[in-house]
Amino acid sequence: MPPTSTPAGLGIPSSGECRTAGHSDDAGFCRSSPDAWKGGQNSTMPPEGVPDREEPDTRRPAEFSPFGLEQRFDPSFVATLALREKQVQQNYRPVIAIHKWFARRPGSVFRSLMLAEFVDAPLAESYWQSNNIKGLIADPFMGGGTTVFEALRLGFGVVGCDINSMAYWLVRQAVEPLDLPTFRSVAEHVISETDAKIGKFYTTTCLTCGDEVPVKYFMWAKSCPCPECGGRVDLHPEYLIAEAIRHPREVYNCPSCDSLCEFDEGAVKQCPTCARDLSHGNTKQGKTECLFCGATFAFAPQLAAPPEHYLFGIEYQCPTCYPRRPGRQFKAPDEADRQRYDNAAVMLTAVDDSLLIPDDEIPAGDETTRLHRWGYRRYREMFNDRQLLGLGLLLNEIAAVKDARIRQALATVFSDFLRYQNLLGRYDTYALKCQDIFAVHGFPVRLVVCENSLLGIPGVGSGSFVHFIEKYASAKAYSQKPYETQINRSKKTLVHMIGERIEAPLSDCKPTTDERSAWLTCEPSQDLALAPASLDAVFTDPPYFDNVQYAELMDFCFVWLRKLLNQEVNQFERSTTRTQRELTGNDTLGRDLLDFTSGLSAVFSNMGSALKNGRPLTFTYHHNNPLAYAPLVVALLDAGLTCTAVLPAPAEMTASLHIAGTRSSILDSIFVCRHQSWTRRHHTLDDDWNRSIADRVAEDVANMALAGYTCTEGDTLCLRAGHIAGDAVRALGGPKWMASGEIDERLATVCAYLNGAAKAAM
């Protein structure tokens, strides 16, 4: 957020989505022995072939030992699991494939946190055992559902809340039981019916055998008129289509003669037909060259209407010829290909009014500003006519499904696969496939884009409806029978947790402590009606002040989904997932740091009053500037909570696109917090709290090294910031904290402490 949104003198940094973390395992709080906080230096993975537990253990949180999480959490063991999971998260936690959400934390971390708190056994043992723990867990910011999924697996009843309709919906879809054989059968029927109407528009002629064969991807370039000669100018930053990695040769588009050329890697990139130099494109830094008259001009993306697109390439797969030749099959479109597109556009005109195609305007917003600059005013303008026709017909077929649960599951698949069915995704020249519009968390308006096959070819390509049906079915199968992935000497073994399950009954009110069900709500968490002393724990990943505007991004899917669900699901009666009460800063809606801090304080206070005495409120966070933690510190102090530990755990891929080349961290700080009054009665802070922050950071770094991860500078900065924030909560808490004072004064007090502590720690 800009300085104008931050109270004068506070100097709070923008948190950003890729925040970096401090991990203070304020090691030593309630140590039972000098080795209790060594981060599992002697812990090992269980022997390969661990048998399934036939009878899950049943334990009750009422019998917990004070500060169990602080004593039993094993940083190096958890880091080993989390690092593996985040590299291919969908393989380790297939349930996340229900629908796209952002910045999901590793399920292995949250499973470990719950087990460390509630199971009196070494974490490296309890992690691989089935469990049936009775109690009630809440997550006030459930987002992608990590807390909900892991808690239900362990037997807990769950309260999950999120103000975003799409977050509520995807978690509900993951939890709600589904008849998988019926789902697959109905999906096949829907695909068959839709294919009969539009399949002909997704074919081309094979260059080798002349047969009509299925297309995988169409490649389009944005174009504009030349101000000098009026000719069409296609905007190509480069002419490369495919690298010589998964294809034998490099493939280039020649815009002068409208052809595709293949070259050996390292060869001179000169079109064999017209001798045009293809080593670089005609567009760079907002300027382009007209290939007709040679004029160079700026194409300012401040358009009254979306730009035109020109079809220049196709990747297809001939079932007869493809197995007999090396590499992929590419071609320049011919007249028949262009006629197929035109025929689809004519058909759309004839049936448009009967299709479930949204005509919603794109509201102004922090993320949608880029779309407006490029002339996009309505969501439907982000698709071409063939896409709109196919999507509208497909959604109509889904709407005709009589079984509500199957219909809603198919609609969720449809919503998710929209990410690959638009004119903002690109064709990946390395992987040779279409990329997700949200591969970068925003609305990227690319000059060269990829139109994916709508229904797709089973087992071929990615991002089509058939692929998303399989992805969804795999996610639901995992929900019904979850497993953990054990690695022993590079060999993977799936350990099925007999009796554990993510699918659970949905409740319309808070479950009892003996009831394994999920109460999922879509409302501000500070308004959630919870009885005092009714929760056994709160585990969450709270929002960030200057976070990516997830609501603005998810509206892209929401406006389609609500065409089907607005008459049957209350959360889809609204016109947008955006709300003024969302807890992120937002320039467009005027939400500033004080709004964010005040809202976070109200949520933590509500959760704190619902916690049983001594039970933890635990959350993840990271940023490399201590001032970014100020709202969290205020919220904890207002809620009467203190910080009993700050623990390190990986949260991002080591090669995350969102943090590559930055000083950001892949590590989260896990803040473990309990009621101040209870903590003071049950423990006297010992000398270990007085260890220097440098020593605590060194211990965290050592624990990560035991897991095979070498901390970067960004990681170290985050670890330090997290410890400073934990110290601030402990130092400022107690009777001297004036929770009823003005929010800006409380924030200033915390910032002053953080600033001083940061200087002292340097």
Side-chain angles (χ1 to χ4, degrees):
M1 300 288 285
T4 54
S5 65
T6 302
L10 296 186
I12 302 283
S14 296
S15 297
E17 179 190 24
C18 300
R19 57 278 180 192
T20 55
H23 293 92
S24 150
D25 94 46
D26 285 310
F29 193 91
C30 193
R31 284 193 183 192
S32 57
S33 72
D35 294 327
W37 280 88
K38 294 299 184 183
Q41 295 183 35
N42 298 317
S43 65
T44 59
M45 303 288 277
E48 187 176 343
V50 172
D52 295 334
R53 298 268 318 239
E54 294 184 1
E55 295 295 334
D57 286 347
T58 300
R59 299 180 175 88
R60 292 178 177 273
E63 301 171 358
F64 87 120
S65 58
F67 308 108
L69 200 165
E70 292 87 339
Q71 294 179 20
R72 288 189 290 260
F73 189 80
D74 188 334
S76 61
F77 171 78
V78 175
T80 300
L81 298 171
L83 286 167
R84 289 171 179 163
E85 178 182 337
K86 284 302 295 185
Q87 294 308 110
V88 199
Q89 193 167 6
Q90 200 162 292
N91 288 356
Y92 284 78
R93 290 293 190 275
V95 67
I96 70 172
I98 287 291
H99 198 287
K100 170 71 175 181
W101 196 253
F102 307 90
R104 279 184 163 109
R105 308 343 264 165
S108 53
V109 171
F110 279 73
R111 178 180 178 86
S112 297
L113 290 168
M114 295 175 197
L115 289 172
E117 176 66 13
F118 295 115
V119 177
D120 189 12
L123 184 55
E125 295 176 9
S126 64
Y127 188 90
W128 306 101
Q129 298 173 345
S130 299
N131 289 270
N132 185 21
I133 309 171
K134 300 302 181 183
L136 188 59
I137 303 295
D139 185 349
F141 304 108
M142 67 179 173
T146 300
T147 295
V148 174
F149 304 153
E150 299 303 321
L152 287 171
R153 282 187 58 179
L154 295 176
F156 291 104
V158 178
V159 177
C161 185
D162 203 287
I163 199 171
N164 189 284
S165 300
M166 289 299 294
Y168 161 81
W169 183 252
L170 72 91
V171 176
R172 171 177 154 171
Q173 288 300 101
V175 170
E176 189 172 46
L178 180 69
D179 181 340
L180 266 178
T182 302
F183 169 77
R184 287 184 179 276
S185 174
V186 174
E188 289 176 4
H189 174 76
V190 167
I191 290 169
S192 176
E193 291 296 309
T194 307
D195 184 62
K197 298 171 183 174
I198 63 164
K200 58 190 175 185
F201 301 131
Y202 291 89
T203 63
T204 191
T205 303
C206 176
L207 293 179
T208 304
C209 68
D211 288 349
E212 189 170 323
V213 298
V215 170
K216 292 170 64 179
Y217 308 109
F218 300 95
M219 300 161 205
W220 298 78
K222 287 182 172 54
S223 62
C224 64
C226 173
E228 297 295 327
C229 69
R232 189 195 79 244
V233 181
D234 301 332
L235 307 176
H236 285 275
E238 62 176 357
Y239 298 123
L240 176 69
I241 292 177
E243 301 175 40
I245 297 173
R246 299 185 178 183
H247 185 71
R249 309 178 79 196
E250 295 177 340
V251 182
Y252 284 78
N253 163 55
C254 178
S256 295
C257 54
D258 222 4
S259 63
L260 299 188
C261 317
E262 297 201 11
F263 302 95
D264 291 330
E265 189 173 11
V268 175
K269 306 307 183 290
Q270 186 177 65
C271 176
T273 302
C274 68
R276 179 173 181 82
D277 180 8
L278 303 178
S279 62
H280 57 86
N282 68 329
T283 304
K284 185 177 181 180
Q285 296 179 342
K287 293 186 177 181
T288 190
E289 175 194 5
C290 176
L291 302 185
F292 296 100
C293 68
T296 299
F297 60 94
F299 60 96
Q302 192 69 43
L303 309 178
E308 298 292 327
H309 289 79
Y310 182 74
L311 179 64
F312 70 87
I314 292 174
E315 184 190 345
Y316 64 97
Q317 185 159 315
C318 174
T320 302
C321 302
Y322 180 75
R324 303 175 183 174
R325 65 187 303 279
R328 305 294 184 90
Q329 292 177 286
F330 296 96
K331 64 175 288 189
D334 53 33
E335 284 306 310
D337 293 315
R338 301 191 189 282
Q339 188 60 53
R340 289 185 185 93
Y341 178 83
D342 291 341
N343 292 343
V346 170
M347 183 175 176
L348 174 65
T349 301
V351 300
D352 197 336
D353 291 343
S354 66
L355 301 182
L356 294 174
I357 298 174
D359 196 38
D360 304 60
E361 292 186 1
I362 302 173
D366 292 5
E367 303 292 345
T368 55
T369 298
R370 182 183 297 107
L371 296 177
H372 287 176
R373 287 202 308 267
W374 280 92
Y376 295 98
R377 297 291 183 267
R378 297 183 180 275
Y379 285 104
R380 67 175 290 153
E381 295 171 344
M382 299 163 72
F383 308 84
N384 68 25
D385 286 349
R386 177 163 46 200
Q387 289 174 323
L388 288 173
L389 174 67
L391 291 170
L393 289 169
L394 177 57
L395 193 55
N396 276 24
E397 288 293 335
I398 293 172
V401 174
K402 290 184 171 55
D403 185 296
R405 195 163 291 186
I406 301 298
R407 181 175 65 252
Q408 292 173 1
L410 290 169
T412 305
V413 175
F414 177 94
S415 170
D416 196 29
F417 105 122
L418 286 168
R419 298 182 286 124
Y420 290 84
Q421 299 291 332
N422 55 79
L423 283 187
L424 271 71
R426 70 180 180 90
Y427 184 80
D428 189 324
T429 61
Y430 174 89
L432 305 187
K433 64 179 182 179
C434 184
Q435 280 285 2
D436 175 3
I437 185 178
F438 297 138
V440 175
H441 294 171
F443 284 118
V445 181
R446 306 182 187 281
L447 299 181
V448 177
V449 298
C450 179
E451 177 192 358
N452 207 340
S453 171
L454 188 89
L455 298 175
I457 311 168
V460 176
S462 65
S464 300
F465 194 67
V466 294
H467 307 130
F468 273 75
I469 288 291
E470 286 306 309
K471 191 161 67 77
Y472 193 91
S474 296
K476 293 301 293 182
Y478 177 85
S479 296
Q480 295 168 3
K481 191 178 180 182
Y483 54 80
E484 292 298 323
T485 303
Q486 178 192 29
I487 299 180
N488 194 323
R489 296 179 182 176
S490 300
K491 182 178 180 180
K492 292 184 178 180
T493 302
L494 299 186
V495 181
H496 289 278
M497 303 300 182
I498 303 302
E500 292 190 1
R501 193 176 178 90
I502 293 173
E503 285 189 345
L506 297 177
S507 175
D508 57 4
C509 61
K510 181 174 67 65
T512 67
T513 55
D514 290 325
E515 181 184 357
R516 182 188 167 277
S517 64
W519 180 34
L520 306 177
T521 73
C522 183
E523 60 182 301
S525 298
Q526 54 268 48
D527 296 347
L528 198 61
L530 295 171
S534 62
L535 298 178
D536 290 291
V538 174
F539 294 96
T540 192
D541 178 37
Y544 296 76
F545 170 60
D546 200 23
N547 205 5
V548 170
Q549 304 296 320
Y550 296 158
E552 294 184 19
L553 301 185
M554 279 292 99
D555 272 353
F556 172 78
C557 301
F558 178 81
V559 294
W560 285 87
L561 197 52
R562 71 183 294 270
K563 294 290 290 185
L564 188 64
L565 298 181
N566 64 345
Q567 298 298 316
E568 52 189 280
V569 180
N570 292 340
Q571 289 74 17
F572 287 86
E573 292 177 353
R574 61 182 69 171
S575 62
T576 175
T577 66
R578 308 184 197 189
T579 168
Q580 184 59 41
R581 297 189 70 187
E582 185 179 2
L583 289 187
T584 58
N586 188 288
D587 286 347
T588 304
L589 296 179
R591 294 196 302 263
D592 64 15
L593 184 66
L594 297 182
D595 295 320
F596 174 73
T597 306
S598 179
L600 198 61
S601 171
V603 172
F604 277 18
S605 293
N606 192 27
M607 293 295 112
S609 65
L611 275 172
K612 294 177 181 176
N613 212 6
R615 305 307 173 114
L617 184 151
T618 301
F619 63 91
T620 54
Y621 192 86
H622 73 222
H623 197 286
N624 60 15
N625 189 323
L627 287 177
Y629 296 73
L632 290 162
V633 174
V634 171
L636 290 171
L637 292 170
D638 287 352
L641 299 171
T642 191
C643 189
T644 57
V646 186
L647 309 163
E652 302 275 1
M653 291 176 57
T654 53
S656 171
L657 288 174
H658 310 292
I659 63 176
T662 72
R663 297 176 74 194
S664 296
S665 171
I666 71 158
L667 302 177
D668 267 350
S669 286
I670 302 170
F671 290 80
V672 184
C673 308
R674 303 180 192 267
H675 288 115
Q676 293 175 12
S677 57
W678 182 90
T679 302
R680 284 195 299 269
R681 288 197 306 271
H682 287 78
H683 184 74
T684 301
L685 299 182
D686 57 29
D687 291 340
D688 196 66
W689 282 114
N690 296 322
R691 290 189 308 153
S692 71
I693 287 177
D695 286 346
R696 287 182 253 166
V697 170
E699 182 174 356
D700 291 339
V701 170
N703 278 325
M704 295 303 98
L706 287 172
Y709 178 69
T710 302
C711 290
T712 65
E713 178 188 8
D715 294 322
T716 304
L717 289 171
C718 286
L719 294 171
R720 185 181 70 175
H723 284 292
I724 291 172
D727 285 353
V729 177
R730 292 187 291 272
L732 298 175
K736 58 184 175 295
W737 179 255
M738 299 299 291
S740 60
E742 294 296 326
I743 187 69
D744 57 343
E745 294 176 0
R746 304 202 304 276
L747 198 56
T749 298
V750 170
C751 287
Y753 180 95
L754 294 173
N755 263 323
K759 291 177 181 177
M762 292 180 64

